[in-house]
């Protein structure tokens, strides 16, 4: 009879260490990783003077590694609502503003621009908008801002 007492005590101790029936459910498996969206700038070449270049300079207030020289480098965007600081440069003329984009996972976007910063233009405005490269559709409508002039 004494031989089964240690076995009974060990069984009772092990049973006390297990979770009760109906305890915490097992953790749900992690879903697939979310792919970031990307956006790049755009540029129109000019044979006469300087090129027309638009690029993203910051995302949600954080400066990104993009500049006029890297206008076509893709900028990674976490999915969701993002505030983009965008810039336009053509010679001595520039424009800056912010655009809000609802970035979809894995989407590829391009910042577009239009301006009257021409040789004989009025040099008064630049418009920025964003298109989805997969569909060609505009996902952020045009926003017109005034042009500034870089002081020498």
């Amino acid at each position: 009879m004494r031989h089964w007492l240690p076995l009974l005590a060990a069984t009772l101790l092990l049973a006390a260490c297990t979770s009760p029936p109906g305890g915490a459910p097992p953790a749900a498996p992690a879903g697939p990783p979310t792919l970031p969206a990307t956006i790049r700038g755009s540029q129109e070449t000019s044979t006469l003077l300087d090129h027309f270049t638009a690029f993203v300079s910051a995302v949600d207030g954080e400066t990104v590694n993009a500049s006029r020289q890297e206008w076509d480098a893709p900028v990674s965007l976490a999915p969701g609502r993002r505030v983009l600081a965008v810039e336009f440069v053509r010679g001595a003329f520039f424009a800056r503003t912010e655009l809000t984009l609802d970035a979809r996972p894995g989407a590829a976007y391009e910042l577009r621009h239009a301006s009257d910063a021409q040789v004989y233009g009025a040099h008064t405005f630049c418009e920025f908008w964003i298109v989805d490269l997969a569909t060609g559709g505009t996902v952020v409508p045009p926003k017109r801002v005034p042009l500034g002039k870089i002081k020498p």
Side-chain angles (χ1 to χ4, degrees):
M1 185 155 173
R2 290 183 181 241
H3 298 292
W4 61 270
L5 276 176
L7 183 60
L8 178 63
T11 304
L12 289 174
L13 284 173
L14 286 174
C17 292
T18 62
S19 58
T34 303
L35 295 174
T38 58
I39 186 166
R40 61 183 170 96
S42 59
Q43 180 171 277
E44 291 178 45
T45 58
S46 173
T47 55
L48 186 58
L49 295 172
D50 197 13
H51 300 315
F52 303 80
T53 310
F55 59 95
V56 176
S57 59
V59 176
D60 296 332
E62 297 291 324
T63 302
V64 296
N65 290 334
S67 66
R68 185 171 188 201
Q69 290 73 31
E70 292 106 18
W71 62 268
D72 61 345
V75 174
S76 183
L77 303 171
R81 185 162 288 221
R82 301 283 155 245
V83 177
L84 309 176
V86 297
E87 298 186 28
F88 166 83
V89 179
R90 201 291 167 113
F93 299 98
F94 70 93
R96 294 183 181 106
T97 193
E98 289 185 344
L99 301 175
T100 301
L101 170 68
D102 288 319
R104 292 186 346 270
Y109 301 103
E110 184 174 76
L111 174 66
R112 302 268 174 96
H113 66 280
S115 171
D116 68 348
Q118 308 289 334
V119 174
Y120 298 109
H123 311 295
T124 59
F125 76 90
C126 181
E127 285 183 344
F128 296 96
W129 67 96
I130 297 174
V131 298
D132 183 319
L133 290 175
T135 66
T138 300
V139 294
V140 174
K143 180 177 181 181
R144 184 177 281 213
V145 296
L147 280 176
K149 188 167 184 181
I150 299 169
K151 306 288 186 220

